[in-house]
Amino acid sequence: MRAHWESWVTEAEVQRLAGAGLTHLRVPIGHWEFVDSDEGYVRGGLPYFKRLVYWAHKYGLQVIADMHTAPGSQNGFDNSGTTRGVNWTSDPKNVALSKRALQTMLKYIASDPVVLATIDAIDLLNEPLIDALDFEQLWEYDTGGHTLVAQGLHKTPPVVSIVDRGFKDYSWWQPRWPRDWNSKYIDAWLDAHLYHVFDHNIDAWPLEKHLRLVAQNGRDLKSNSTVFPILVGEWSLALPQAAVNGRENQARRMFAEAQLDAYEQGGAGWVFWCFKTEASPEWSFLDALDRSWIPQPLNSRKFPPGGAPRKPYPKFVWSPAGGWWAQPKTWKRNTLIIGGGITLFMAFVFKKSAELEQRTLYPRVWIPSMMWAKQFKASIYAKQLRLNKDDSDPNFQPPKSL
């Protein structure tokens, strides 16, 4: 484990993540780093956690400290530390041990000024499977954890407590969310993890249906963010094979852009899972950058909302502002050319209009075209030549008022 901790995350990678436009790193930590749970886990990762936090501080990143596991497992998934059932709340000692682990983690954070300054959110517990747990014990842990964070980490604005939605809908959470949270400062977020590869009911969907689901998720985030700010704490570019359908680069780029647009609407931002993998680039932010699946900068878009490919559009055409490719290299020259062409065309139209304008009666009031219309100029000139003889046109004479 020490060899892994020494080499898996490097300072250069942290610097690159910051340069790619990220603002936060969400760092999962096992409960066994803070308590002796007699479960056989290898301890010793905290010095490397601190090293990572210091690197983040150096490059202007904030850190979310994520309590990723619980004694007995809060969900039965491998990411909880064990797949031997969901036993966290079945034994009160497990919950008590989690509370002690959280208290110890907060003391550890508060003991170092750099760590305290860099960590601005605490994920109280990752992905508790609410339907398999005693929610009363879980909620006591969450609300108590919120209080511990507020009292143990003295900062203004306060360190945010993150409550995982536990695979429940936002509507389920609305009546349960404490109304005094976020009353003065933003001090609590709901955490939603949005993936497209764990629901086998959508495995056969084409990419377009996945993109529509992402857009709907964005609308749900926006409509519920008035009750609680929502962090999309995990998402990836993993898709069922039917959605990729032989066009991997395009599909994953479209998927990334759609998710980036949608997940900004929850009010608390998003976190990509994860920063690096051994061999699965769709789960690796750095690999996705290398493949241009993640746009750079993050707000640039290759595809319009909805994911339809943009129509081919030459980048050298005249477009001084707006459009998908604003400010092409030759816009100044093209503007002069187009402007000159318009001026010449309008001069020709003006000249022909002045020549061809004909009136059967002299206007009763002055009109602007008297200044340039050939008919008026010819009439005045003829009148001067004839010296007001009687052979002038009696129907085209200025009224006495003019």
Side-chain angles (χ1 to χ4, degrees):
M1 284 301 298
R2 187 169 289 109
H4 171 75
W5 289 327
E6 286 282 359
S7 61
W8 182 242
V9 184
T10 68
E11 181 177 354
E13 288 169 336
V14 174
Q15 183 179 14
R16 188 182 177 200
L17 292 171
L22 299 185
T23 60
H24 285 70
L25 302 179
R26 178 174 177 259
V27 184
I29 310 172
H31 66 276
W32 55 83
E33 292 290 353
F34 304 104
V35 292
D36 185 2
S37 61
D38 295 325
E39 295 173 279
Y41 297 113
V42 178
R43 304 174 69 178
L46 284 182
Y48 302 97
F49 169 73
K50 179 179 287 191
R51 183 180 70 174
L52 174 59
V53 173
Y54 268 67
W55 285 341
H57 182 78
K58 179 178 179 180
Y59 295 107
L61 292 166
Q62 298 296 117
V63 169
I64 299 170
D66 165 33
M67 186 66 78
H68 212 70
T69 65
S73 179
Q74 74 276 25
N75 55 33
F77 305 150
D78 56 1
N79 58 33
S80 73
T82 180
T83 57
R84 298 175 182 175
V86 186
N87 300 307
W88 181 51
T89 57
S90 62
D91 185 346
K93 294 180 181 178
N94 290 335
V95 180
L97 204 57
S98 282
K99 292 178 181 178
R100 194 159 75 246
L102 180 61
Q103 288 176 315
T104 306
M105 181 173 77
L106 296 177
K107 290 178 181 178
Y108 177 83
I109 292 170
S111 68
D112 187 301
V114 173
V115 176
L116 179 60
T118 308
I119 292 177
D120 65 0
I122 303 295
D123 202 333
L124 298 175
L125 184 61
N126 177 71
E127 293 185 348
L129 186 57
I130 288 177
D131 286 343
L133 296 170
D134 178 356
F135 180 71
E136 185 176 345
Q137 293 186 67
L138 169 62
W139 193 230
E140 181 188 0
Y141 171 84
D142 283 337
T143 54
H146 177 273
T147 301
L148 286 175
V149 170
Q151 294 177 351
L153 303 179
H154 301 289
K155 292 173 65 174
T156 304
V159 174
V160 174
S161 295
I162 301 175
V163 175
D164 195 293
R165 69 172 180 164
F167 307 97
K168 288 292 190 180
D169 292 337
Y170 305 126
S171 59
W172 188 89
W173 277 101
Q174 286 189 11
R176 294 171 171 82
W177 192 261
R179 295 299 178 240
D180 59 333
W181 288 5
N182 300 322
S183 59
K184 184 177 181 180
Y185 297 103
I186 299 299
D187 60 6
W189 295 340
L190 190 69
D191 187 8
H193 298 174
L194 301 177
Y195 291 120
H196 287 237
V197 288
F198 300 121
D199 180 358
H200 296 302
N201 293 318
I202 65 175
D203 281 352
W205 281 10
L207 177 64
E208 290 69 27
K209 290 193 69 173
H210 287 276
L211 297 180
R212 287 197 292 270
L213 176 57
V214 170
Q216 182 59 55
N217 285 337
R219 290 189 290 271
D220 292 342
L221 289 167
K222 185 175 182 179
S223 64
N224 286 279
S225 64
T226 57
V227 181
F228 29 64
I230 305 171
L231 171 73
V232 181
E234 292 185 20
W235 63 280
S236 77
L237 298 184
L239 279 165
Q241 196 57 42
V244 177
N245 195 27
R247 47 175 180 164
E248 183 172 42
N249 290 332
Q250 178 180 334
R252 298 206 195 278
R253 175 63 180 249
M254 293 167 69
F255 193 39
E257 291 185 8
Q259 290 185 95
L260 288 169
D261 289 337
Y263 301 161
E264 289 285 353
Q265 300 183 57
W270 49 263
V271 181
F272 188 94
W273 182 274
C274 52
F275 92 101
K276 185 171 71 171
T277 63
E278 293 90 343
S280 301
E282 67 272 23
W283 292 91
S284 166
F285 188 86
L286 292 177
D287 284 336
L289 284 179
D290 290 338
R291 289 163 169 77
S292 296
W293 297 344
I294 297 287
Q296 283 292 284
L298 292 172
N299 61 359
S300 67
R301 296 292 178 264
K302 191 175 181 180
F303 301 95
R310 298 191 191 279
K311 294 180 180 179
Y313 190 89
K315 297 180 177 63
F316 52 84
V317 301
W318 174 68
S319 177
W324 291 327
W325 293 282
Q327 303 294 333
K329 293 181 180 179
T330 58
W331 77 266
K332 292 183 179 179
R333 184 193 69 189
N334 291 342
T335 300
L336 290 174
I337 293 173
I338 295 296
I342 292 174
T343 301
L344 289 175
F345 176 76
M346 293 305 297
F348 172 77
V349 171
F350 177 83
K351 183 175 182 296
K352 295 301 293 183
S353 175
E355 291 176 354
L356 298 176
E357 182 176 343
Q358 293 290 327
R359 296 176 181 273
T360 58
L361 294 175
Y362 208 97
R364 306 302 297 174
V365 295
W366 183 87
I367 60 175
S369 64
M370 288 179 175
M371 301 172 61
W372 57 74
K374 184 177 180 180
Q375 184 182 26
F376 288 102
K377 291 181 178 296
S379 175
I380 295 171
Y381 182 64
K383 185 175 182 180
Q384 291 174 345
L385 288 180
R386 289 191 295 269
L387 299 176
N388 292 321
K389 292 181 180 180
D390 293 337
D391 59 348
S392 60
D393 185 351
N395 293 322
F396 203 75
Q397 296 294 325
K400 292 181 180 181
S401 61
L402 290 178

